[in-house]
Amino acid sequence: MEFQEYATLPKLVKHSAEQYSEVVAQFKRLKDGNFEPVTYRQMYQNSLDFAAALIQLGVQRGDPVGLISDNRAEWIYSDLAIMSLGGMDVPRGCDATIIDLEKILSITECKIVIAENNSQLNKILSIKEKLPHLIKLISFEPESTIKEEVKTLAKEKNVEIYYFQNLLKDGQKWNIEHTGEVEAEIEKGQLEDTATIIFTSGTTGTPKGVMLSHKNFLAQLNEIVERIYLNPGDKALSVLPVWHVFEREVEYVILTQGASICYSKPVGSILLADFKKLNPTILPAVPRVFEAVYDGVTKKMRKAGGIVNKMFNFFVGVAIVHKRMQRKMFNQNPCFTSYFTFGWWVLFFIPWILMFPLYWLGDLIVFRKVKAMLGTNFRAGVAGGGAFPPKIDEFFWAIGVKVVEGYGLTETAPIVSVRPIAAPIFRTIGSPIRGVQARIVDPQDGFVLPRGKEGVLQIKGETVMQGYYKNPEMTAKVMTVDGWLDTGDLAVFTIHDELQIKGRIKDTIVLRGGENLEPLPIEMKLAESHYIKSAVVVGQDKRYLGALILVNQDEVLSFAEENGIQYDTYENLLNSEVIHKLYENEINTLVSSKTGFKMFERINKFVLITKDFEVGVELSAKQEIMRFRINDIYKKEIESMFPEQDD
């Protein structure tokens, strides 16, 4: 069925509520760590009741309503309620700064804002002078949790505070007295109606309000439910920020198929505990979550040491080689030229068969223990919102845990493509989904490039945004005259139409010698070292590359202990010659001609940094590095790698 036939997202959810009425739609996370089930019938009724309350507060068709909250069950009720009335939600998470909130809420001129808790109410009230249209705030948390000074501040600013649970009760009464009126409003909805205005996280420093219609979201569902398939009652863990378009569309994919949203957190201990409690089928997450799982497993093995660690490394090595041969034989690698499958079978069949007992043994005594951490129902992880490191991809593929990579932008609501669970092609994001056209163009002259040639990815189709809110000039900059959205990402097509993403054109570093290079592959390679948490490559207009290296303190201290290194303070340990030599060797080993890097891509100088990157500071909500922020925060450290004589 074409999902666009439903016209709006509330109509689609209404259909799911009728079809799966007593199936659990949400597992609502309680403060004690347990979960409360909410059925599709209850979820839909809650959205109707809250919509009725919003009518009483004056929300009308076309109104923007702020929605400042992290993941919780009430978020989806609010989202559906606002859209049911023909309104547009303006979402952001609790990590939003006061400056972020000022920009978002002032540009959209929101009269009503839903805020999660005391802290968010306080932030919004503190900038009331810059939000002249704001007259009402709604708190998800009950009145008892809101501090008196916040209530007093609201009175001083002439802003009324309402409480979600109270409004839900008011809405129930209103719906009894005005039966069918909210659903009549739902029926008025059209495909082209704006559903939301999502402000980009600002990795470039300029947040833009992306206007997305119901059609933008619905158009993706025709094929996504085939690539990321769920059965009624299956569970999906929700760990991504729900205000972000990736998680938002993921939740619509879940609700479309009668599955359950389970609210967890991207914290290792909580996530693994929730896996045991809920036994989920799907985990959509940014690559850093899967990196954390990998780091946790490998760190545990290194701590065990001795024969345990040696066995783990041996069997993982065997699995990687075995799966590499298998991918060649079964056409599971990206292909850019003619492919001779028969030749690979002749070359690899016998060693592949001979290695199978070793692979089976590794699975029996090692890999099954890793997979057991994910429960018995786990089908796949879906990595999106950033580049999926090759080493992590290969590890999970080797041990038999499916993690498929997807790609998209806020401007495409967001899905352009995702590697199918049933037929994945390694190191690709699959082919564009139905209804989405993609082409690769030369970044210099704009000519369309053939398969196998790297260039800028452009997208066209029903998922492409309506434009940037109140910003036609910025919209014109990303849209071509013939209606293609310029993603700013570098990509290449295989001969079978799968896409590989290579980096961002805006991140491209041009050295003084004219060499162009992408920092992301170098950064991902450096992060393969267990001594390196993260790396940022710099060197625009310089003679050579430098890198900021975020150290892994636990691993450095373990190295010092194992090697009998004496030190008085951690800072002095990091500044010691032996630790500097350790990192120099790690960097030179990882980024060299032997690992496929060109001479000008090597790191000549580096600085060790110790402060973890934080969302909202160095990282965007998708946990992507915001390079403009890094350049400001670490200006002194970057300049130290490029002394004046090099300028």
Side-chain angles (χ1 to χ4, degrees), residues 21-223:
S21 62
E22 298 309 313
V23 175
V24 175
Q26 300 170 296
F27 280 91
K28 184 177 177 180
R29 188 179 190 85
L30 303 177
K31 291 184 178 179
D32 62 3
N34 290 315
F35 293 88
E36 177 184 298
V38 179
T39 66
Y40 272 84
R41 177 182 53 77
Q42 292 170 321
M43 180 192 70
Y44 181 62
Q45 188 60 52
N46 284 340
S47 71
L48 293 181
D49 291 340
F50 189 56
L54 292 179
I55 288 174
Q56 295 176 81
L57 293 182
V59 174
Q60 297 178 4
R61 189 162 298 276
D63 283 354
V65 179
L67 182 48
I68 313 302
S69 171
D70 289 336
N71 299 28
R72 55 188 295 155
E74 293 86 351
W75 196 99
I76 196 75
Y77 311 153
S78 303
D79 174 45
L80 291 170
I82 294 165
M83 293 190 297
S84 293
L85 302 180
M88 311 172 289
D89 56 57
V90 183
R92 201 57 186 255
C94 290
D95 62 339
T97 64
I98 289 177
I99 294 173
D100 289 334
L101 294 176
E102 180 190 330
K103 286 182 180 178
I104 292 166
L105 300 177
S106 63
I107 290 171
T108 53
E109 300 180 352
C110 291
K111 297 176 184 176
I112 298 176
V113 177
I114 302 165
E116 178 162 3
N117 51 30
N118 188 85
S119 176
Q120 306 317 308
L121 293 174
N122 192 43
K123 280 195 287 187
I124 295 165
L125 287 168
S126 71
I127 53 172
K128 172 62 178 76
E129 287 73 16
K130 296 175 181 178
L131 306 175
H133 295 85
L134 178 66
I135 54 174
K136 294 170 184 173
L137 286 169
I138 299 170
S139 170
F140 278 149
E141 293 294 305
E143 185 175 2
S144 59
T145 66
I146 308 304
K147 294 180 180 178
E148 286 302 320
E149 51 263 40
V150 171
K151 295 176 184 176
T152 302
L153 183 60
K155 287 180 181 178
E156 292 173 0
K157 307 278 187 179
N158 292 316
V159 175
E160 295 179 84
I161 299 180
Y162 298 84
Y163 301 94
F164 184 84
Q165 290 301 327
N166 296 346
L167 290 177
L168 214 56
K169 292 175 183 175
D170 293 342
Q172 287 173 352
K173 294 176 184 176
W174 195 91
N175 273 328
I176 291 170
E177 295 168 2
H178 303 79
T179 304
E181 289 195 25
V182 172
E183 291 189 305
E185 286 298 319
I186 292 175
E187 291 305 314
K188 294 177 185 177
Q190 302 295 318
L191 268 173
E192 299 292 345
D193 290 349
T194 302
T196 185
I197 304 169
I198 300 177
F199 280 77
T200 59
S201 52
T203 54
T204 62
T206 312
K208 302 176 289 290
V210 179
M211 296 187 294
L212 297 174
S213 69
H214 293 271
K215 181 172 73 173
N216 292 148
F217 287 112
L218 291 168
Q220 303 167 66
L221 298 176
N222 292 323
E223 188 175 355

Side-chain angles (χ1 to χ4, degrees), residues 403-610:
V403 180
V404 297
E405 185 178 8
Y407 166 81
L409 305 92
T410 306
E411 289 86 345
T412 58
I415 304 170
V416 169
S417 185
V418 63
R419 196 189 304 175
I421 292 174
I425 301 297
F426 186 65
R427 299 307 300 150
T428 75
I429 56 169
S431 57
I433 61 174
R434 285 196 299 272
V436 171
Q437 301 175 60
R439 69 183 186 185
I440 308 295
V441 302
D442 189 295
Q444 301 300 322
D445 56 32
F447 288 128
V448 178
L449 297 173
R451 291 180 180 85
K453 295 291 184 181
E454 183 178 316
V456 178
L457 177 64
Q458 294 185 344
I459 301 298
K460 194 175 188 180
E462 293 183 331
T463 63
V464 174
M465 67 172 179
Q466 296 173 315
Y468 294 123
Y469 188 67
K470 293 183 179 179
N471 201 336
E473 296 84 5
M474 192 64 72
T475 303
K477 284 183 180 180
V478 299
M479 299 299 298
T480 67
V481 291
D482 53 347
W484 291 80
L485 172 74
D486 193 318
T487 67
D489 288 318
L490 296 170
V492 60
F493 265 120
T494 71
I495 62 173
H496 299 124
D497 285 335
E498 295 101 9
L499 280 165
Q500 270 193 338
I501 303 299
K502 296 293 189 178
R504 277 197 68 76
I505 192 142
K506 289 181 181 177
D507 292 342
T508 301
I509 293 174
V510 182
L511 295 176
R512 189 171 295 177
E515 302 91 346
N516 284 248
L517 59 97
E518 297 307 314
L520 191 59
I522 303 172
E523 291 163 354
M524 289 195 295
K525 192 65 181 176
L526 290 172
E528 290 183 8
S529 168
H530 56 266
Y531 296 109
I532 299 174
K533 280 188 176 181
S534 189
V536 181
V537 174
V538 295
Q540 178 65 34
D541 298 325
K542 305 298 182 182
R543 295 179 184 176
Y544 53 80
L545 293 180
L548 296 169
I549 303 295
L550 179 58
V551 302
N552 188 325
Q553 181 174 337
D554 291 343
E555 295 295 342
V556 170
L557 295 177
S558 295
F559 175 83
E561 184 180 345
E562 290 166 8
N563 291 274
I565 300 170
Q566 300 296 313
Y567 60 94
D568 51 0
T569 66
Y570 176 60
E571 183 179 353
N572 286 338
L573 173 64
L574 282 186
N575 291 328
S576 67
E577 186 178 343
V578 64
I579 295 300
H580 189 274
K581 194 68 179 175
L582 167 69
Y583 277 95
E584 187 178 285
N585 290 337
E586 287 287 304
I587 291 167
N588 291 338
T589 300
L590 289 164
V591 183
S592 68
S593 57
K594 291 181 180 178
T595 54
F597 291 95
K598 299 179 180 69
M599 183 63 70
F600 61 81
E601 292 177 311
R602 299 188 67 178
I603 304 299
N604 284 49
K605 293 188 178 181
F606 63 91
V607 171
L608 301 180
I609 57 177
T610 57

Side-chain angles (χ1 to χ4, degrees), residues 145-444:
T145 66
I146 308 304
K147 294 180 180 178
E148 286 302 320
E149 51 263 40
V150 171
K151 295 176 184 176
T152 302
L153 183 60
K155 287 180 181 178
E156 292 173 0
K157 307 278 187 179
N158 292 316
V159 175
E160 295 179 84
I161 299 180
Y162 298 84
Y163 301 94
F164 184 84
Q165 290 301 327
N166 296 346
L167 290 177
L168 214 56
K169 292 175 183 175
D170 293 342
Q172 287 173 352
K173 294 176 184 176
W174 195 91
N175 273 328
I176 291 170
E177 295 168 2
H178 303 79
T179 304
E181 289 195 25
V182 172
E183 291 189 305
E185 286 298 319
I186 292 175
E187 291 305 314
K188 294 177 185 177
Q190 302 295 318
L191 268 173
E192 299 292 345
D193 290 349
T194 302
T196 185
I197 304 169
I198 300 177
F199 280 77
T200 59
S201 52
T203 54
T204 62
T206 312
K208 302 176 289 290
V210 179
M211 296 187 294
L212 297 174
S213 69
H214 293 271
K215 181 172 73 173
N216 292 148
F217 287 112
L218 291 168
Q220 303 167 66
L221 298 176
N222 292 323
E223 188 175 355
I224 288 302
V225 295
E226 297 170 14
R227 299 197 190 190
I228 309 298
Y229 54 91
L230 292 161
N231 298 313
D234 281 351
K235 302 184 186 77
L237 281 186
S238 169
V239 297
L240 297 171
V242 70
W243 71 267
H244 190 270
V245 69
F246 176 28
E247 174 65 22
R248 183 164 178 164
E249 180 65 8
V250 161
E251 296 201 1
Y252 298 147
V253 171
I254 294 165
L255 296 176
T256 296
Q257 300 180 79
S260 307
I261 303 168
C262 307
Y263 298 97
S264 185
K265 294 183 179 180
V267 178
S269 57
I270 294 173
L271 188 60
L272 290 175
D274 288 347
F275 263 107
K276 287 183 179 179
K277 287 179 184 176
L278 296 165
N279 205 9
T281 306
I282 295 286
L283 172 64
V286 292
R288 285 180 185 270
V289 171
F290 297 104
E291 287 181 71
V293 174
Y294 168 81
D295 290 341
V297 171
T298 53
K299 186 176 181 179
K300 188 176 180 181
M301 293 300 108
R302 287 196 301 274
K303 280 193 172 181
I307 189 66
V308 173
N309 192 35
K310 287 179 180 177
M311 282 177 60
F312 175 78
N313 290 330
F314 172 75
F315 283 120
V316 169
V318 166
I320 287 173
V321 172
H322 190 259
K323 292 295 186 180
R324 282 178 181 175
M325 290 190 290
Q326 184 169 304
R327 289 197 299 269
K328 290 278 191 182
M329 294 163 62
F330 290 92
N331 292 358
Q332 293 176 314
N333 279 335
C335 183
F336 301 100
T337 59
S338 299
Y339 205 87
F340 300 102
T341 307
F342 179 74
W344 295 122
W345 275 84
V346 170
L347 188 62
F348 290 138
F349 180 69
I350 292 176
W352 181 67
I353 290 293
L354 292 175
M355 286 185 72
F356 183 77
L358 277 176
Y359 180 85
W360 177 83
L361 186 61
D363 184 58
L364 183 67
I365 63 178
V366 179
F367 307 150
R368 288 185 189 180
K369 292 179 181 177
V370 176
K371 288 185 271 191
M373 296 165 60
L374 306 177
T376 57
N377 290 335
F378 191 70
R379 184 175 299 140
V382 182
F388 194 35
K391 184 175 182 179
I392 309 301
D393 199 357
E394 185 148 61
F395 171 77
F396 283 112
W397 190 298
I399 69 170
V401 173
K402 283 192 176 181
V403 180
V404 297
E405 185 178 8
Y407 166 81
L409 305 92
T410 306
E411 289 86 345
T412 58
I415 304 170
V416 169
S417 185
V418 63
R419 196 189 304 175
I421 292 174
I425 301 297
F426 186 65
R427 299 307 300 150
T428 75
I429 56 169
S431 57
I433 61 174
R434 285 196 299 272
V436 171
Q437 301 175 60
R439 69 183 186 185
I440 308 295
V441 302
D442 189 295
Q444 301 300 322

